[in-house]
């Protein structure tokens, strides 16, 4: 999902980047969708998602495996907020009208997307981009 975010940038200029053109750094294009993506993939491997949340500081001692995605997503959101990461795709200049192009740009990235533990459809990608418009 990160390639079309970085590749279709319109006006966004990353903080602390001295460039004369719009740019969304790859890492930023990854982290703005990570809460939505981990919420989506958690059902396939909840223990790994809980382990990641614990490594990031979440207390998982009394949680349900079914909540793994939201726990990891919330933990990531907290980190992103503390690091003052822009508030989702909308803060990078995208809106709901851009979602079809973002989905279309993601589809050919099978080298990366096939690594997802959960199969996905175009509808799923649309929902993930929609959920990533705002993080906080």
């Amino acid at each position: 999902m990160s390639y079309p975010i970085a590749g279709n940038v319109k006006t966004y200029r990353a903080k602390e980047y001295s460039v004369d053109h719009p740019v969304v750094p790859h890492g930023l294009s990854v982290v703005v969708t990570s809460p939505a993506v981990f919420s989506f993939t958690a059902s396939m491997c909840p223990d790994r998602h809980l382990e990641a949340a614990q490594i990031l500081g979440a207390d998982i001692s009394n949680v349900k495996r079914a909540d793994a995605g939201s726990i990891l997503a919330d933990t990531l959101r907290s980190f992103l907020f503390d690091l003052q990461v822009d508030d989702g795709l909308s803060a990078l200049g995208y809106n709901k009208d851009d979602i079809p192009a973002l989905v279309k740009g993601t589809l050919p990235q099978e080298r990366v997307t096939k690594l997802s533990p959960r199969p996905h459809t175009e509808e799923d990608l649309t929902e993930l981009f929609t959920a990533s418009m705002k993080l906080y």
Side-chain angles (χ1 to χ4, degrees), residues 39 49-50 53-54 58-60 62-77:
S39 291
H49 286 67
L50 288 172
Q54 183 178 36
D59 178 6
I60 63 164
N62 293 311
V63 302
K64 297 176 184 171
R65 292 176 79 233
D67 296 330
S70 62
I71 291 167
L72 179 54
D74 289 345
T75 303
L76 286 166
R77 277 190 201 93

Side-chain angles (χ1 to χ4, degrees), residues 14-74:
K15 300 172 191 166
E16 300 180 19
Y17 272 66
S18 297
V19 294
D20 62 355
H21 58 278
V23 63
V24 174
H26 177 71
L28 180 58
S29 69
V30 172
V31 299
V32 296
T33 60
S34 63
V37 169
F38 288 126
S39 291
F40 177 77
T41 60
S43 64
M44 300 305 288
C45 46
D47 294 331
R48 292 184 75 180
H49 286 67
L50 288 172
E51 180 182 8
Q54 183 178 36
I55 289 168
L56 293 172
D59 178 6
I60 63 164
S61 56
N62 293 311
V63 302
K64 297 176 184 171
R65 292 176 79 233
D67 296 330
S70 62
I71 291 167
L72 179 54
D74 289 345

